[in-house]
Amino acid sequence: LAAMRGVKAEGGWGVVCTEEVEIHPTSDIAPCIEGRIWDDHDVAGHRLMTEAVHAHGALAGIELTHAGIDAANHYSHLTPMGPRSEGVLGDSGFEPQQTRAMTRRDFADVRRWHRKAALRARDAGYDIIYCYAAHGLTLPMQLLSRRHNDRTDQYGGSLANRVRFLRELIEDTRDAVGDDCAVAVRLAVDELLGDEGITHDGEGREILGMLAALPDLCDVNVSDWSNDSATSRFAAEGHQEPYISFVKSLTTKPVVGVGRYTSPDAMVSAVRRGVLDLIGAARPSIADPHLPRKIREGRAASIRECIGCNICVATDPKGLPIRCTQNPTMGEEWRRGWHPERIAVRRSSARVMVVGAGPAGLEAARALGQRGHEVQLLDAQPEVGGRVNRESLLPGLAAWRRVVDWRRWEIGALRDVEVFPASPMDAADVLESGVRNVIMATGATWRRDGRGRSTGTAVAGFDHDHVRTPDDLLDDLESGQWRLPEGEVVLYDDDHYVMGGLLAELIAGRGHAVTLITPAPLASYWTQFTLEQARIEARLRSLGVRIVPRTTLQRISSGHVRTAGVISAEQGEWAADSVVLVADRQPRIEVHDALLPALENGLLDSLTLVGDADAPGLIAQAVFSGHRAARQFGEQVDPDAVEFLREG
Ligand code: ADP
Ligand code: SF4
């Protein structure tokens, strides 16, 4: 994290903040990723970060947090605490544990822990110390909320009482650190829950009015995290503005906010219109840690814009190192020594052919070109972009095109990378070119037989004429010729990421009655980790899509399908004029396999399979795979060694 944040500071951000940092083991939200400053033992680790940030002239900020009812304390085994005794949320949202209703002594303890954490943070070198009430998942926010706080003491009841604890934290922090550090408050001014929650034109406004004069910096957002970090599919750049634009009228202190700002024009506009003084950015700084530097240097077109997919977010609840679709170096700064802007120069003058210009091939060609290699990038299609060109036509995914646009732009500036669209290659074409190093990035197709992880077998009857794959529907979208016959559609989703839900949305939006059948407990199950599942399901329901969970598809017949329950094996029958199978994908490796003898005979020096052709997965994985192949090209790589450093 220190190395990653050092790269951000180098990239020109004025302040680089931590994630939420737990002040005490009673606020332990493991396995989710949070910082800890539980005791003096943690100070040295934080100092690594502040030094890395200061080395580039930026300020370092720390978000001190107590998570209250969100902390299940799985790691510390201490009793969770909250405004009242109620079920703990935790990483699952449904932990079999309740909090203790905080006593007077608990309040005094938390205040003291926060104060001590602030002093440790100062000693670790932080310049800005946050009192954090930005999501429903923090104790101060839970105390502000009428939904969680029904106390009758000085911390409950009137708004002034519910605000008391946050006020005390700000005052304690100021008192502890004096003028050594700035004190910031991060506050959610709207929970997007209407009258049940805090609203920007109701209590949010009043709370801010009560506190605005106390901190040095007001950082405002909307709650909860799924609203704050909404994906581009559901919220546009600057989507928080309607909720936070009042804040500057209530305070003379600088105001910072977020909203997935990636465009310099949108940022300047937010400042000029008086919405914000400072632009906050988590995801834009993940996708492009050097975004501010590029603006300053007049290179805005080189900004690697966040696509708003939340693959970065998905690592958090799993306790994993961060990753990013657009920036394959994110999280790899220390352990692999990767930098988002720099790459080792080539070791040889070898020419490389990259076959397939989807995200994997584009990234491999770009990074090889950056290293100084001569590269030929070929694709069978008239446009480069592979799966992204097609998938970005699906409802709400237009921003995903940025994966292609940024790489296309960067490749355009590389003298030695030639791009040849409309060039389908077979093994003979590759060998005739005389190139001796080949990267195959030929992608994958959706399987026709519906074989997926849940049953491991083809769906009987998959070869009926009325059965479609996602590729068929994407063909229709691209060509503009919608060929799905009118009537009932059964969509079977054994893929569980976005494709099934997106196609159901698309098909229902075109007037078909859709039944989505899935072996998972929820539609688009994996999108829980990208904070999208509830929104996807709500959208599908609003379009009249019938969702049948925990069910596998057994047989497709003319006019109907038969299903079996995952739990009870109960049989079902559903009318189906068409069936769409969204299951495993088939790697496109025919050309690669046909080239293997040439590698064995010494006609090729290297032949590397990357991206979905290697193993179908997320676009993030394809980009990473292409990037890794480019970094490793021509290098000595020990196949037996772990190729990255591990902590500890
Ligand atoms: P990935 O996600 O791994 O980058 P994609 O499916 O997005 O994979 O892209 C693969 C690209 O490879 C597609 O644009 C496809 O047109 C191209 N392709 C596949 N086979 C060939 C081939 N034999 N010759 C040229 N291009 C190919
Ligand atoms: Fe943006 Fe997606 Fe990268 Fe997160 S993973 S920073 S949402 S591009």
Side-chain angles (χ1 to χ4, degrees):
L1 291 175
M4 179 267 276
R5 293 190 170 125
V7 168
K8 288 191 184 183
E10 180 194 352
W13 299 93
V15 180
V16 182
C17 281
T18 61
E19 69 283 78
E20 293 177 29
V21 175
E22 298 163 0
I23 60 169
H24 189 265
T26 53
S27 174
D28 149 35
I29 67 159
C32 300
I33 297 282
E34 277 201 327
R36 289 175 180 160
I37 194 156
W38 291 354
D39 64 13
D40 292 346
H41 166 84
D42 293 315
V43 172
H46 284 279
R47 199 171 286 128
L48 288 176
M49 172 192 153
T50 58
E51 286 172 357
V53 168
H54 290 158
H56 297 284
L59 300 175
I62 183 168
E63 298 180 344
L64 294 185
T65 311
H66 196 292
I69 63 169
D70 191 41
N73 298 342
H74 288 310
Y75 181 79
S76 68
H77 293 176
L78 297 176
T79 304
M81 297 192 289
R84 65 184 176 203
S85 182
E86 65 179 320
V88 167
L89 301 173
D91 58 295
S92 71
F94 305 98
E95 295 296 312
Q97 169 73 52
Q98 284 192 210
T99 48
R100 172 172 81 232
M102 287 175 71
T103 62
R104 281 176 84 93
R105 185 168 163 180
D106 288 328
F107 280 101
D109 284 346
V110 178
R111 285 181 62 183
R112 196 178 58 260
W113 297 333
H114 197 278
R115 186 186 182 93
K116 286 188 166 177
L119 289 169
R120 279 184 216 113
R122 180 197 64 187
D123 295 345
Y126 285 103
D127 308 287
I128 302 177
I129 301 188
Y130 268 78
C131 302
Y132 203 82
H135 296 107
L137 307 179
T138 61
L139 178 59
M141 184 81 189
Q142 292 150 19
L143 283 158
L144 291 172
S145 159
R146 283 171 280 120
R147 283 176 305 122
H148 294 290
N149 184 352
D150 50 15
R151 300 181 69 91
T152 53
D153 62 3
Q154 73 271 37
Y155 290 113
S158 69
L159 188 60
N161 277 357
R162 284 182 276 134
V163 168
R164 184 183 309 280
F165 186 67
L166 181 54
R167 174 192 292 277
E168 288 173 347
L169 290 187
I170 300 169
E171 288 170 349
D172 290 347
T173 307
R174 162 82 67 217
D175 183 58
V177 300
D179 288 336
D180 293 343
C181 308
V183 177
V185 66
R186 189 161 196 230
L187 179 70
V189 292
D190 205 309
E191 297 182 281
L192 307 194
L193 290 173
D195 291 343
E196 283 181 32
I198 290 168
T199 56
H200 67 287
D201 48 6
E203 285 189 341
R205 193 182 179 90
E206 287 181 66
I207 295 165
L208 203 100
M210 291 170 167
L211 297 175
L214 297 179
D216 299 306
L217 174 72
C218 287
D219 188 336
V220 286
N221 73 333
V222 297
S223 173
D224 60 5
W225 194 20
S226 70
N227 293 322
D228 190 24
S229 292
T231 55
S232 58
R233 187 171 166 189
F234 294 101
E237 182 173 8
H239 66 102
Q240 305 206 9
E241 284 188 14
Y243 306 101
I244 60 170
S245 55
F246 76 90
V247 174
K248 270 184 62 62
S249 69
L250 292 187
T251 180
T252 56
K253 303 297 170 68
V255 175
V256 60
V258 291
R260 217 180 57 253
Y261 290 103
T262 55
S263 136
D265 289 340
M267 297 179 198
V268 170
S269 163
V271 173
R272 290 229 172 107
R273 283 179 289 116
V275 177
L276 295 169
D277 297 301
L278 299 159
I279 303 296
R283 290 172 294 173
S285 73
I286 293 167
D288 195 340
H290 280 229
L291 185 153
R293 177 185 284 266
K294 290 177 182 175
I295 297 175
R296 189 193 302 144
E297 294 174 356
R299 297 190 292 125
S302 280
I303 294 172
R304 196 170 38 242
E305 289 184 276
C306 166
I307 70 166
C309 61
N310 278 5
I311 292 302
C312 51
V313 167
T315 58
D316 178 87
K318 294 168 176 284
L320 295 172
I322 192 166
R323 74 196 302 199
C324 169
T325 300
Q326 274 285 56
N327 175 10
T329 69
M330 177 49 50
E332 307 293 350
E333 301 82 356
W334 175 77
R335 65 178 195 167
R336 281 192 162 86
W338 291 0
H339 188 279
E341 301 298 313
R342 291 191 292 274
I343 192 163
V345 291
R346 63 182 188 171
R347 293 234 182 227
S348 71
S349 57
R351 258 184 334 126
V352 187
M353 175 181 283
V354 179
V355 181
L362 281 167
E363 178 60 18
R366 187 205 64 75
L368 282 166
Q370 193 187 0
R371 293 189 67 186
H373 283 285
E374 248 179 77
V375 183
Q376 290 174 304
L377 173 65
L378 304 107
D379 198 289
Q381 296 298 320
E383 297 283 337
V384 300
R387 60 182 283 194
V388 173
N389 286 356
R390 292 151 67 79
E391 290 172 20
S392 60
L393 299 173
L394 289 164
L397 295 199
W400 288 29
R401 262 209 71 82
R402 293 170 172 183
V403 172
V404 174
D405 293 343
W406 180 78
R407 289 175 173 79
R408 192 74 188 88
W409 171 267
E410 293 293 309
I411 285 173
L414 290 168
R415 207 191 44 207
D416 291 331
V417 182
E418 289 181 289
V419 182
F420 301 97
S423 305
M425 300 294 285
D426 61 21
D429 297 329
V430 173
L431 294 174
E432 266 170 36
S433 75
V435 76
R436 298 192 58 85
N437 296 283
V438 183
I439 292 181
M440 297 300 296
T442 42
T445 50
W446 291 90
R447 288 182 71 99
R448 286 228 155 257
D449 62 3
R451 195 198 76 189
R453 71 202 70 203
S454 299
T455 60
T457 55
V459 179
F462 72 86
D463 46 0
H464 274 83
D465 286 347
H466 64 300
V467 180
R468 301 281 189 278
T469 69
D471 285 321
D472 296 332
L473 296 174
L474 290 167
D475 284 345
D476 288 3
L477 262 191
E478 259 187 331
S479 68
Q481 286 177 345
W482 189 248
R483 290 173 302 173
L484 206 62
E486 276 181 24
E488 304 241 12
V489 179
V490 163
L491 186 144
Y492 181 56
D493 186 2
D494 199 8
D495 171 63
H496 311 291
Y497 183 41
V498 286
M499 184 57 76
L502 278 165
L503 290 178
E505 180 179 342
L506 177 76
I507 298 167
R510 295 192 173 220
H512 300 268
V514 180
T515 303
L516 189 156
I517 297 172
T518 180
L522 296 168
S524 301
Y525 183 85
W526 199 83
T527 61
Q528 290 173 93
F529 305 116
T530 56
L531 310 177
E532 295 177 293
Q533 197 281 332
R535 286 171 195 245
I536 290 171
E537 187 166 330
R539 183 166 288 177
L540 293 180
R541 286 176 189 275
S542 75
L543 287 166
V545 174
R546 183 165 44 185
I547 296 169
V548 184
R550 291 188 184 275
T551 302
T552 58
L553 197 55
Q554 298 292 304
R555 173 174 293 279
I556 301 168
S557 305
S558 178
H560 68 273
V561 299
R562 291 196 68 80
T563 57
V566 169
I567 307 293
S568 65
E570 187 187 336
Q571 301 281 306
E573 187 171 303
W574 307 87
D577 298 303
S578 317
V579 178
V580 181
L581 298 176
V582 187
D584 280 355
R585 282 180 277 162
Q586 183 71 39
R588 238 192 242 117
I589 50 171
E590 298 77 12
V591 181
H592 170 269
D593 288 356
L595 284 169
L596 281 173
L599 183 68
E600 279 153 23
N601 298 336
L603 292 173
L604 292 178
D605 293 335
S606 68
L607 177 65
T608 310
L609 204 51
V610 298
D612 291 316
D614 190 21
L618 298 170
I619 295 171
Q621 186 61 25
V623 171
F624 181 89
S625 164
H627 190 83
R628 175 171 171 267
R631 292 247 181 199
Q632 293 188 340
F633 182 76
E635 304 287 335
Q636 292 284 344
V637 179
D638 176 356
D640 295 345
V642 177
E643 62 187 60
F644 51 87
L645 300 174
R646 284 175 287 174
E647 290 166 55

